Amino acid sequence: MSQDLSDIPVQFLKGVGPTKAKLLANLGIHTIDDLLYLFPYRYEDRSQLMPIAMVKAGEKQTVAGQVFKVGKRNFYSRTRAFEIVVGDKTGRIFCVWFNQPYLDKYFKEGQEIVLYGRVEVFKNRLQMLMPDFELIPPEDRTLNMGRIVPVYPLTRGVTQRYLRKIIDTALRLYAGQIKDVVPWDIRRRHQLGDIADNIEHIHFPRTEQDQQKANGRVAFEEFFLFQICVILRRLSIVHKKGFAHQIEAPFIGQYKKNFPFVLTVAQCRAIEEIAVDMRKARPMLRLLQGDVGCGKTVVAFLGCMAAVKNGAQAAIMAPTEILASQHYVNLKRFFAQGPFKETRVGLLTSRMPKKHKDTLYRQLKEKEIDIIIGTHALLQATVDFANLSFVVIDEQHKFGVSQRALLSSKGSNPDVLIMTATPIPRTLCLTLYGDLDISIIDQLPPGRGKISTYQFSTEKAPGVYERVRQWVAAGTQAYIIYPLVEESEKLDLKAAKESFEHFVQFEFKGFRLGMVHGQMDRSDVENIMQEFKQHDIDILVATTILEVGIDVPNANVMVIEHAERFGLSQLHQLRGRIGRGPKDAICLLVADPSTEEAKARLEAIVKTTDGFKIAEYDLQIRGPGHYFGRYQHGLNELRVANPVTQLDLLEKARFEAGNLIKEDSSLQNPAHTVIKQVIKKRYPQYLDMVLAG
Ligand code: ADP
Ligand code: MG
């Protein structure tokens, strides 16, 4: 039997050795299997290189030629530039790098070089600013020139040329031993070619069609393995025994009467779906999707009250303290009178005094608290329940799979409701959450105002502030949002504070202003938010800590400064803070977008307020990998497959995976054991996912 490629250390491959092996480990490459499954993220067509005379300005292009001249220049007074001239038979192009004097070590006149970058015309000559480049010695031409070449992710000390070389070596030696995990009958049904050929073609395609076919073949494999895990996770839940709640219709009726408003049809439907699940002994795992402001909280509270009615406890976890305490306040307020007023509710955040926390821990354990609302603090080992039967995760994209699992593990298979205001396009739901039940609230409570959104350049900001003054003078409250990102936190904060001073003294003189930002004490933030809620403040200047949840119905104007710096769903979330009352609202984006992506984002947010459409745009603009941020393991683990553009493949793989598990749920059939092995070795994170379910 041939050796498993995931058991052969890459170190023993010709041309690697211990030093390079360490560097390769930074790319996650430890074995031959890892190396063969490191896929290019793009390709360069060097089969027919563009003659320099034909290159188009304004586009990213690949050219090849010889280095003619190497030199340093002082461009402006302080910037030192390094410049080379590259030429072929038809013309020449200048390449410029700033402040990288060490580059002169790399280049020698007469060398063969390949350049990749945006071509521009500068002072009447063709130029590339800081292009990617590769120097190609004559003996390496076969892998690096005259063909479609793969471009891989790199790490320090590992070059494209080097990776191409060792991958080529590995393919020659080991391609025949790559295991085909997709059983042969499935391969036959979908006309999937030999895996080895396709792995070869994904690295070194002869034609574009080759590459696309190989991509589809590997994507199928990826979807297939991923779906097997998703389906197994689902099965593991189905067979667990949880808490069978008794929820009678009159109880639900009584519950609905508690609110000063009538629940929407969509809210009622979601409540029924949850009740059906909660009555069953098998644990619920349900995703509640609905746009900002549609009223998910009221739906989640029903589950909490049902748990309490059944003598158990409930927990709600929210991503920020403000949001947790808002839920807490709402819960107290809604149920201050009526049949639920005896419910004992607690609030737990990490910044509370230790003594207070200790009391809460004890009360939870001794069941002196029925419902606990909190932040990540709920995940602490010290949090222990007497009998937890219902768990709510609010804004689930802020939490990881394992965090969700950790909270659930504090009960004995409790029912779990995860909520998101960033709707997830159907395609992704299927990929990632094929294992979840889904409830959708597709309607807003009646009588909400309309939100209009407009975009302005920074130059036009004075006009924007004039509009704010008019609205606020008429009795509305306003938010002015500043970006504050980790990388440039100090600068951002300074900019926001300076603007605030300026607003107080000039733009909004005579109005009552307040400011909140992430560096402030929670109690200060809360005080100011409270003043804003009570309309003791007219204009609130804030950084993105407002992103989720805050609810002030009289605030109907929002200015978002530097809107080009926000992500699309972030903008949507922010805008969701206004238009929560009956009056119309206005959102003014001040932005100077410089990239196509930023322009597309702003266009999308101006065009629609429909969260589902925005989610689709976001997916198109940014691709699925970014969609969930770093917390969502699943999607980022797809290396080649793209659930948006390859939906048909995904559906086929899903169907086949389902059939296979139906026949052999423990993957014991000798033809299926390889599936288990490969998942364990190549995608161990998929298994975590199953366990975490
Ligand atoms: P989200 O779904 O964004 O979390 P919330 O649950 O915070 O929304 O609800 C937004 C606001 O709408 C809250 O003030 C809530 O009390 C109110 N609300 C919820 N349901 C209704 C309804 N059926 N009619 C009127 N207002 C409602
Ligand atoms: Mg909410």
Side-chain angles (χ1 to χ4, degrees):
M1 234 192 103
S2 63
Q3 211 182 344
D4 192 326
L5 297 184
S6 52
D7 289 333
I8 306 178
V10 72
Q11 181 178 339
F12 300 135
L13 188 69
K14 181 168 172 277
V16 183
T19 317
K20 286 285 188 195
K22 272 205 192 104
L23 296 175
L24 288 171
N26 295 332
L27 287 171
I29 299 172
H30 307 279
T31 67
I32 299 291
D33 189 76
D34 295 337
L35 184 63
L36 292 176
Y37 273 79
L38 174 80
F39 297 126
Y41 65 91
R42 66 176 175 88
Y43 298 84
E44 270 176 37
D45 190 348
R46 296 182 187 171
S47 54
Q48 285 149 354
L49 285 171
M50 186 73 78
I52 291 178
M54 307 269 290
V55 297
K56 272 205 206 101
E59 283 176 23
K60 283 199 161 181
Q61 288 179 329
T62 309
V63 297
Q66 274 191 345
V67 178
F68 278 6
K69 228 164 93 186
V70 178
K72 283 183 218 172
R73 291 216 292 162
N74 287 337
F75 243 85
Y76 309 105
S77 53
R78 260 169 298 158
T79 324
R80 278 193 301 160
F82 175 75
E83 188 177 88
I84 64 172
V85 184
V86 172
D88 66 6
K89 287 183 200 126
T90 67
R92 24 177 86 191
I93 190 163
F94 290 73
C95 304
V96 182
W97 289 266
F98 295 111
N99 296 324
Q100 299 180 42
Y102 54 86
L103 276 177
D104 64 358
K105 284 205 280 286
Y106 287 105
F107 301 104
K108 278 198 206 71
E109 286 169 20
Q111 255 168 343
E112 302 241 16
I113 188 169
V114 177
L115 302 162
Y116 175 78
R118 192 181 302 284
V119 178
E120 46 191 59
V121 178
F122 180 72
K123 289 192 176 163
N124 249 330
R125 57 183 211 186
L126 287 174
Q127 159 175 310
M128 280 184 177
L129 267 187
M130 298 192 252
D132 285 351
F133 65 90
E134 265 182 64
L135 298 167
I136 318 262
E139 68 271 17
D140 278 4
R141 288 187 64 102
T142 45
L143 278 185
N144 297 286
M145 292 297 292
R147 66 191 307 163
I148 297 173
V149 274
V151 181
Y152 298 100
L154 293 182
T155 181
R156 207 169 51 82
V158 176
T159 64
Q160 293 295 349
R161 273 200 303 123
Y162 177 72
L163 276 176
R164 284 175 206 140
K165 192 164 184 160
I166 59 174
I167 288 173
D168 181 60
T169 310
L171 281 168
R172 277 161 208 266
L173 290 170
Y174 298 110
Q177 292 172 47
I178 299 174
K179 283 190 182 140
D180 216 330
V181 284
V182 183
W184 72 270
D185 53 321
I186 298 180
R187 288 200 311 256
R188 200 189 43 182
R189 251 197 304 285
H190 300 283
Q191 283 143 30
L192 302 174
D194 181 49
I195 189 69
D197 287 351
N198 282 288
I199 290 288
E200 208 171 324
H201 287 164
I202 209 165
H203 291 291
F204 296 107
R206 286 168 308 204
T207 61
E208 206 183 316
Q209 289 94 303
D210 261 8
Q211 185 268 324
Q212 274 169 9
K213 227 173 112 205
N215 178 287
R217 173 68 173 88
V218 176
F220 186 94
E221 183 176 290
E222 244 175 32
F223 280 141
F224 180 70
L225 294 175
F226 191 80
Q227 288 305 319
I228 287 201
C229 294
V230 165
I231 294 165
L232 283 176
R233 172 162 55 158
R234 170 86 198 185
L235 277 182
S236 75
I237 293 166
V238 172
H239 291 132
K240 279 183 192 157
K241 195 163 153 33
F243 196 111
H245 297 85
Q246 286 207 359
I247 307 175
E248 274 125 31
F251 172 82
I252 296 179
Q254 219 179 26
Y255 174 81
K256 290 183 190 165
K257 278 203 215 105
N258 247 273
F259 301 94
F261 42 74
V262 179
L263 271 62
T264 62
V265 172
Q267 281 173 316
C268 294
R269 194 177 55 220
I271 283 179
E272 289 305 327
E273 286 164 352
I274 291 167
V276 168
D277 278 0
M278 288 182 75
R279 289 183 189 120
K280 294 180 183 155
R282 93 161 159 80
M284 170 174 85
L285 184 51
R286 184 170 281 278
L287 173 69
L288 178 60
Q289 289 198 53
D291 215 340
V292 238
C294 71
K296 293 183 289 296
T297 319
V298 168
V299 173
F301 286 166
L302 176 274
C304 298
M305 288 306 177
V308 177
K309 175 88 194 306
N310 281 266
Q313 291 165 297
I316 302 176
M317 182 160 72
T320 64
E321 294 183 11
I322 295 184
L323 210 50
S325 58
Q326 188 172 286
H327 286 329
Y328 175 75
V329 169
N330 277 337
L331 192 65
K332 287 253 193 197
R333 181 168 57 95
F334 284 141
F335 303 106
Q337 264 123 43
F340 301 97
K341 70 170 194 281
E342 307 291 324
T343 314
R344 297 158 301 179
V345 186
L347 174 68
L348 174 69
T349 68
S350 52
R351 273 198 259 184
M352 289 180 154
K354 182 169 179 307
K355 227 170 116 188
H356 186 90
K357 282 195 251 184
D358 286 341
T359 312
L360 280 174
Y361 298 149
R362 186 188 55 73
Q363 289 176 318
L364 273 177
K365 198 161 175 176
E366 291 170 11
K367 210 170 163 299
E368 288 170 20
I369 285 182
D370 303 307
I371 302 175
I372 185 84
I373 300 174
T375 56
H376 291 80
L378 288 174
L379 300 174
Q380 302 278 320
T382 37
V383 176
D384 198 3
F385 292 83
N387 184 9
L388 176 68
S389 78
F390 187 70
V391 167
V392 180
I393 314 280
D394 193 15
E395 306 293 345
Q396 61 88 30
H397 59 290
K398 300 271 177 187
F399 297 98
V401 178
S402 53
Q403 289 176 320
R404 271 171 14 208
L406 185 56
L407 185 55
S408 306
S409 71
K410 293 178 185 289
S412 157
N413 300 325
D415 288 324
V416 177
L417 182 69
I418 67 183
M419 306 203 288
T420 181
T422 309
I424 299 164
R426 200 190 76 84
T427 53
L428 288 190
C429 266
L430 191 67
T431 329
L432 253 195
Y433 298 111
D435 60 329
L436 295 191
D437 293 303
I438 296 173
S439 292
I440 293 178
I441 304 185
D442 53 5
Q443 104 195 98
L444 292 177
R448 293 261 166 98
K450 182 166 127 334
I451 306 179
S452 313
T453 305
Y454 305 95
Q455 186 190 332
F456 302 88
S457 63
T458 315
E459 273 172 16
K460 298 272 168 62
V464 169
Y465 301 140
E466 173 56 31
R467 300 236 329 236
V468 174
R469 283 193 293 270
Q470 285 166 7
W471 279 67
V472 174
T476 297
Q477 289 166 275
Y479 295 107
I480 300 181
I481 311 288
Y482 277 84
L484 195 139
V485 292
E486 255 169 67
E487 302 93 71
S488 52
E489 196 174 298
K490 273 202 180 130
L491 281 178
D492 285 344
L493 190 56
K494 190 158 165 266
K497 281 181 176 164
E498 279 169 3
S499 299
F500 179 70
E501 286 310 316
H502 184 81
F503 289 153
V504 170
Q505 288 178 23
F506 303 101
E507 294 287 355
F508 301 116
K509 201 170 166 154
F511 293 103
R512 295 164 301 176
L513 271 73
M515 180 173 188
V516 292
H517 58 75
Q519 306 273 295
M520 287 166 62
D521 266 359
R522 183 182 66 97
S523 53
D524 294 341
V525 171
E526 229 123 89
N527 289 340
I528 290 179
M529 286 311 304
Q530 205 50 46
E531 286 176 41
F532 189 64
K533 271 192 180 181
Q534 293 163 359
H535 203 163
D536 294 333
I537 289 176
D538 301 308
I539 301 174
L540 185 68
V541 177
T543 58
T544 41
I545 52 169
L546 281 187
E547 192 180 335
V548 282
I550 304 299
D551 193 26
V552 182
N554 188 47
N556 279 316
V557 180
M558 175 171 284
V559 178
I560 304 182
E561 304 270 358
H562 301 289
E564 76 279 358
R565 289 178 56 190
F566 292 88
L568 192 49
S569 41
Q570 219 179 358
L571 287 170
H572 179 63
Q573 289 289 322
L574 283 168
R575 186 175 55 183
R577 302 304 110 225
I578 57 172
R580 298 175 80 89
K583 295 208 193 104
D584 286 346
I586 183 168
C587 179
L588 307 165
L589 310 171
V590 180
D592 299 308
S594 61
T595 65
E596 289 307 312
E597 200 191 297
K599 279 181 201 155
R601 276 199 307 265
L602 293 167
E603 212 171 281
I605 199 83
V606 169
K607 200 154 63 182
T608 181
T609 52
D610 179 336
F612 281 86
K613 280 202 187 122
I614 284 175
E616 296 280 358
Y617 286 133
D618 205 19
L619 197 60
Q620 280 165 18
I621 296 171
R622 295 203 296 171
H626 300 274
Y627 192 79
F628 291 98
R630 65 197 164 95
Y631 291 114
Q632 287 294 345
H633 312 313
L635 271 184
N636 296 329
E637 301 309 338
L638 293 172
R639 300 178 194 177
V640 166
N642 180 332
V644 183
T645 55
Q646 295 173 312
L647 182 62
D648 56 327
L649 271 185
L650 165 60
E651 276 167 356
K652 282 180 196 157
R654 181 172 170 70
F655 173 78
E656 295 293 357
N659 280 345
L660 187 131
I661 295 293
K662 232 182 263 160
E663 275 168 32
D664 181 17
S665 66
S666 45
L667 301 175
Q668 266 168 2
N669 179 327
H672 300 158
T673 47
V674 58
I675 296 175
K676 231 191 300 195
Q677 282 166 22
V678 168
I679 291 176
K680 216 187 306 175
K681 295 239 162 111
R682 196 182 298 150
Y683 300 106
Q685 62 282 36
Y686 291 8
L687 277 187
D688 289 351
M689 203 178 72
V690 175
L691 298 177

